[in-house]
Amino acid sequence: MKTAQFLLAAMLALPAMDTAQAAEIELWRLDCGSIKISDLSAFSDTLRYQGEQRTLTDSCYLIRHDASYMLWDTGLPAALLGASQEGNGMKPSLSKTIKDQLSEIGVAPDKIETVGISHNHFDHVGQATDFPQARLLIGKADLDGFRAEPPAFAVDPSLVKPWLDGKAPVNTVEGDKDVFGDGSVVMLSTPGHTHGSYSLLVRLAGKGAVLLSGDTVHFEEQFTNNGVPPFNVDRAQSLASMGRLQDMAKALDATLVVQHDANDIAKLPAFPASAK
């Protein structure tokens, strides 16, 4: 499996062979909530961040591939609209829904054909059921995690009920997944945070390659200090996945975006502007 992933990474690093026929790709950064953290040491198994506080972004993304639309992650549940972030612990809150943001750019919810999920935690699948017609793409191990008894930390099976009940289409992913078959959008296997975690490569004609981190890290400095949260399922896999994204970013001269880091997501235009 690792050999196949490395071969695919090498192939992805090659220039496009037929740019005249390439699909038109457009990428929007959506606001899918925020999480106020009163003790950031919960995000390092070496207690590196003791005494620090931070508000993490909960970003998700809309991708247009010619006339097809895909969501990458679906943020916090709509039940958290206007939730208070006062007090200690982890306090999630949502200020606007994905559907409301899509309406601003004239994309009807039923136009979403694919929902790609980085991993199965509630802050990444929260609004998935607003798009029950969509094909769900998710790591096989993380779909299996929705069926586990009891569910693991931060996993809420009700948030993906249509797909668990067989009422909506789902494709499980193992290894890397070329979503549209042309190398423009590729799910990259980056396990460690969960057993079936993924990141996403998006190739844009103007901006170039963009790598969306999923939860491979939660903020940029974790790449340089090898910061691994204690709630990750595998430390060694976490570090290997961090290295894979960094190496690929160098190979492709890509913009690497940490989805929970406010400074990092600012590498992409603020909604409703898009990157092309």
Side-chain angles (χ1 to χ4, degrees):
M1 184 65 72
K2 289 183 179 179
T3 300
Q5 289 178 1
F6 291 145
L7 286 174
L8 178 58
M11 292 169 63
L12 293 172
L14 297 174
M17 297 299 293
D18 189 4
T19 54
Q21 298 300 315
E24 185 175 87
I25 311 298
E26 191 170 4
L27 175 67
W28 289 264
R29 164 170 61 93
L30 304 177
D31 177 1
C32 294
S34 64
I35 306 174
K36 185 177 179 181
I37 312 295
S38 62
D39 181 5
L40 206 62
S41 66
F43 285 80
S44 170
D45 60 10
T46 61
L47 304 182
R48 177 182 292 271
Y49 309 109
Q50 288 189 83
E52 294 186 39
Q53 299 181 1
R54 191 175 302 200
T55 297
L56 302 182
T57 55
D58 200 344
S59 61
C60 45
Y61 299 84
L62 175 69
I63 300 149
R64 181 177 64 82
H65 181 278
D66 285 339
S68 297
Y69 287 93
M70 171 184 177
L71 283 174
W72 176 248
D73 285 342
T74 62
L76 291 166
L80 290 170
L81 272 170
S84 172
Q85 293 184 309
E86 297 298 319
N88 295 324
M90 299 184 188
K91 298 293 184 179
S93 185
L94 187 68
S95 61
K96 58 184 75 174
T97 66
I98 295 174
K99 289 172 69 174
D100 284 345
Q101 291 171 83
L102 294 182
S103 70
E104 292 183 42
I105 56 173
V107 177
D110 62 7
K111 293 293 186 182
I112 304 300
E113 297 178 6
T114 304
V115 172
I117 297 299
S118 65
H119 64 290
N120 60 11
H121 288 172
F122 78 100
D123 57 319
H124 291 258
V125 298
Q127 297 169 65
T129 56
D130 284 341
F131 310 96
Q133 77 289 338
R135 172 184 58 144
L136 189 73
L137 292 179
I138 186 171
K140 181 181 184 302
D142 276 25
L143 186 69
D144 291 343
F146 280 119
R147 297 190 172 103
E149 290 292 345
F153 166 79
V155 174
D156 181 353
S158 70
L159 297 174
V160 292
K161 193 174 188 300
W163 297 276
L164 292 180
D165 289 349
K167 296 179 180 178
V170 58
N171 290 146
T172 55
V173 183
E174 296 180 272
D176 293 345
K177 169 70 174 178
D178 185 344
V179 176
F180 296 102
D182 59 3
S184 61
V185 181
V186 181
M187 289 178 66
L188 303 170
S189 179
T190 48
H193 182 60
T194 64
H195 291 295
S197 284
Y198 276 81
S199 303
L200 193 72
L201 168 65
V202 182
R203 290 179 178 272
L204 300 171
K207 189 173 181 62
V210 175
L211 285 167
L212 303 175
S213 69
D215 274 11
T216 305
V217 295
H218 292 82
F219 31 94
E220 179 71 34
E221 56 263 42
Q222 288 177 310
F223 279 122
T224 56
N225 62 33
N226 290 332
V228 177
F231 47 79
N232 279 22
V233 297
D234 190 300
R235 192 176 211 280
Q237 283 188 339
S238 296
L239 293 173
S241 293
M242 290 160 64
R244 185 185 190 201
L245 284 189
Q246 290 175 291
D247 288 349
M248 188 173 284
K250 291 177 183 177
L252 299 179
D253 191 25
T255 301
L256 177 51
V257 177
V258 178
Q259 294 181 214
H260 279 302
D261 188 318
N263 292 325
D264 251 52
I265 66 171
K267 297 173 183 175
L268 296 173
F271 189 82
S274 64
K276 297 181 180 181

